[in-house]
Amino acid sequence: MAYSPPRPGSKIIIVGGGCFGLSTAYALSLKQQYDIYVFDRKPIPCPDAASTDINKIVRLDYADNTLYMHLAIESLPLWHQWNKERAEKNQCPVFHQSGVLLFGQEDFSDFEKKSIKAIQEAGYGHFIDVYSSPEEIVRAFPQFQQAVDNGFKKAYLNKQGGWCNSAEAVKHVYQKCLENGVHFVVGEKRGHFAKLYCDPKNPTTVLGIQTVDEKIHHADLVLLTTGSWTAGLVDMHHQVIASGQQVVHFTPPPQLKETWEKMPVWCGDLSNTGYYGFPVNADGKMKIGKHHSGYLNPRETDQISVPRTQVTHECDTIPIGALREFRQFLGKFLPETSALDITYARMCWYSDSIDGHFVVCPHPDYHNLVVATGDSGHAMKFMPVIGFKIRDVIEGIDSDYTRAWKWRQLEAQDTQLDNLRAATLIQRVILEEKGNEEARMATLEEFKAARPHL
């Protein structure tokens, strides 16, 4: 369908107050020519949004997919600017430039090799230190002595990267939106999107949204920034799917805390193993996650995978099979964790696109509807700038990003995910699948470290 950008004075409803939604609301608000409303079913930051987390990686390393490398580089000055803004208010920083240490095993995978090459060819070779021997890695980062001894013998450090406190970043942009006059409608009824409201005479023309309280909210344009919920809210023609990824926290004792606070973000041969981790944060928590093809939670009515979170299933953790894999990998990479209880675990839900690119475009089935989804687990680092790129889509401005993120009628069987998961076998397990012991949720008792019994 032909798309017409909103005119000055238009009312724009954004559904979803996470990374994409808030960044776009802020970017639009700077134009001072739209009436902007953000709807969310929970107060912001929404507790089960992917962006509501203690940390996310800020990396520039994208192999030969330089579109995202440049987007990450464009984001960096704004992350630092946000830190300055927060320092003036005596608030904690949202970006921590710890560096990102990317490991290979006997050799780098293609991902690391292509990343180094792309960064150097773009003129940013000074961003990275490539270690020429296992001994150099250990001298720089003695915390990883045992990882190196156990086969992780190659590494390079991207000094410009690090991690963001994503929940605090969401709060920061939320405040910017409020200051710029963006309206927020939140709550389980009044802010909870139920369905699109379409012209009764032309059901392909979106005139607004209907919320759970059955009220209709008119708009000239609706933007869905609903993350992993998107495929369950509007027909996405199988271009995105909600996949659950496992995350755990440790709370290390003082002697380990002091050492692990000084870690960089690390990626343990990520394109092959899927594992990554963070330094201990100010609250004494250390997060480790796995970036892979993930788990599915198909709903009974149509078998579309939808997020299953601790908001609706408060006792959920991660599958026992995932827990066992965590312990096995960490026993080799960071063996000190074997003696530690896992203090928290949850599923983090991605909106996975087939090719790992975002899906930001007018929806082909409707007038006046734009979708911004398909984060594929690598969007948060772009929060300072992603809204400006989404604004270009809304305003019909052509760019490398709008072309890369346009609607793509891809076939699900061709799923490749993003290039950091290129070596991952696409074999998604269904959460709590009957007859599959590996898919059941692990109990709190099972998160305790194994201890010898006399």
Side-chain angles (χ1 to χ4, degrees):
M1 291 188 178
Y3 175 71
S4 299
R7 297 176 180 177
S10 293
K11 179 180 177 181
I12 298 175
I13 286 180
I14 299 173
V15 183
C19 173
F20 281 9
L22 291 180
S23 187
T24 306
Y26 175 64
L28 287 169
S29 73
L30 293 173
K31 301 294 287 278
Q32 297 184 343
Q33 64 184 36
Y34 304 114
D35 193 15
I36 306 160
Y37 284 76
V38 178
F39 283 72
D40 206 302
R41 75 190 197 288
K42 293 284 186 182
I44 294 170
C46 181
D48 56 356
S51 53
T52 304
D53 202 348
I54 63 171
N55 41 35
K56 301 287 188 186
I57 298 177
V58 177
R59 62 178 167 93
L60 321 180
D61 313 80
Y62 270 92
D64 50 6
N65 196 340
T66 56
L67 185 84
Y68 296 99
M69 178 188 76
H70 286 292
L71 191 61
I73 291 170
E74 185 180 340
S75 299
L76 285 176
L78 283 170
W79 280 116
H80 290 293
Q81 174 61 29
W82 287 1
N83 279 355
K84 290 179 182 177
E85 293 169 4
R86 294 176 66 82
E88 291 171 359
K89 298 177 180 179
N90 294 315
Q91 295 174 334
C92 66
V94 287
F95 174 57
H96 300 261
Q97 192 179 335
S98 64
V100 179
L101 185 64
L102 294 97
F103 281 93
Q105 297 191 54
E106 294 303 320
D107 196 2
F108 286 128
S109 72
D110 285 346
F111 176 83
E112 286 82 23
K113 290 176 182 177
K114 290 178 179 179
S115 293
I116 293 170
K117 183 173 183 288
I119 291 167
Q120 291 173 337
E121 289 180 351
Y124 299 105
H126 58 290
F127 283 4
I128 59 177
D129 289 335
V130 181
Y131 299 107
S132 59
S133 68
E135 292 76 21
E136 276 196 11
I137 301 171
V138 174
R139 278 198 296 272
F141 301 103
Q143 304 98 321
F144 297 108
Q145 172 74 64
Q146 294 187 74
V148 171
D149 291 345
N150 288 325
F152 292 85
K153 297 180 180 179
K154 301 284 287 186
Y156 78 89
L157 177 72
N158 192 321
K159 295 174 287 189
Q160 295 298 308
W163 59 277
C164 68
N165 182 331
S166 51
E168 284 297 319
V170 166
K171 293 177 187 177
H172 189 71
V173 184
Y174 173 54
Q175 186 60 41
K176 285 177 169 290
C177 288
L178 289 173
E179 291 168 359
N180 283 8
V182 175
H183 309 281
F184 285 86
V185 184
V186 299
E188 285 290 356
K189 292 185 178 179
R190 62 191 298 266
H192 194 164
F193 174 88
K195 61 182 180 180
L196 297 171
Y197 174 67
C198 296
D199 187 341
K201 297 179 181 179
N202 184 357
T204 63
T205 298
V206 174
L207 299 179
I209 66 170
Q210 183 173 322
T211 43
V212 168
D213 58 6
E214 299 187 351
K215 289 186 178 179
I216 293 170
H217 307 268
H218 290 88
D220 299 293
L221 179 79
V222 173
L223 172 67
L224 288 185
T225 55
T226 43
S228 52
W229 281 267
T230 307
L233 299 176
V234 65
D235 187 354
M236 291 297 294
H237 299 270
H238 307 290
Q239 298 307 289
V240 294
I241 190 170
S243 74
Q245 315 280 325
Q246 56 268 39
V247 168
V248 301
H249 293 179
F250 292 95
T251 305
Q255 66 274 22
L256 285 175
K257 178 178 179 290
E258 184 177 352
T259 300
W260 288 348
E261 284 175 334
K262 301 171 185 175
M263 273 184 179
V265 172
W266 56 265
C267 300
D269 191 13
L270 191 51
S271 61
N272 286 310
T273 72
Y275 289 99
Y276 62 93
F278 297 84
V280 176
N281 71 3
D283 295 325
K285 299 174 182 178
M286 184 177 76
K287 172 184 156 185
I288 297 173
K290 187 175 183 183
H291 184 59
H292 66 129
S293 56
Y295 291 81
L296 302 181
N297 182 46
R299 62 187 177 191
E300 292 184 5
T301 53
D302 53 15
Q303 295 303 297
I304 289 175
S305 181
V306 293
R308 172 176 164 149
T309 74
Q310 291 173 345
V311 167
T312 54
H313 296 75
E314 61 181 18
C315 294
D316 271 7
T317 56
I318 61 173
I320 185 64
L323 172 59
R324 290 168 180 153
E325 291 171 2
F326 261 105
R327 287 296 195 184
Q328 183 177 9
F329 172 81
L330 291 173
K332 181 179 180 181
F333 188 85
L334 209 60
E336 298 95 330
T337 60
S338 298
L340 301 179
D341 295 342
I342 291 173
T343 51
Y344 177 73
R346 75 175 179 109
M347 301 299 293
C348 177
W349 288 89
Y350 296 176
S351 174
D352 262 331
S353 68
I354 291 172
D355 57 3
H357 284 293
F358 305 155
V359 181
V360 183
C361 53
H363 194 289
D365 296 347
Y366 296 96
H367 293 290
N368 308 328
L369 176 65
V370 173
V371 292
T373 187
D375 61 86
S376 301
H378 67 105
M380 187 64 203
K381 65 180 74 64
F382 307 123
M383 190 175 191
V385 297
I386 190 69
F388 296 93
K389 312 308 179 187
I390 298 173
R391 188 182 71 185
D392 284 347
V393 172
I394 291 170
E395 297 188 327
I397 297 170
D398 180 65
S399 73
D400 290 343
Y401 297 101
T402 61
R403 290 190 293 273
W405 301 339
K406 67 182 181 181
W407 190 269
R408 309 177 294 283
Q409 198 63 50
L410 302 174
E411 297 298 326
Q413 61 264 29
D414 298 326
T415 298
Q416 295 183 9
L417 306 176
D418 60 280
N419 59 10
L420 192 48
R421 293 182 283 174
T424 302
L425 179 66
I426 310 301
Q427 189 174 358
R428 290 176 165 132
V429 175
I430 295 174
L431 280 179
E432 297 275 82
E433 185 177 28
K434 291 181 179 179
N436 185 354
E437 162 66 13
E438 296 293 290
R440 72 167 174 83
M441 290 291 178
T443 67
L444 296 180
E445 187 66 25
E446 288 167 323
F447 286 111
K448 294 181 179 179
R451 292 179 175 84
H453 297 280
L454 297 178

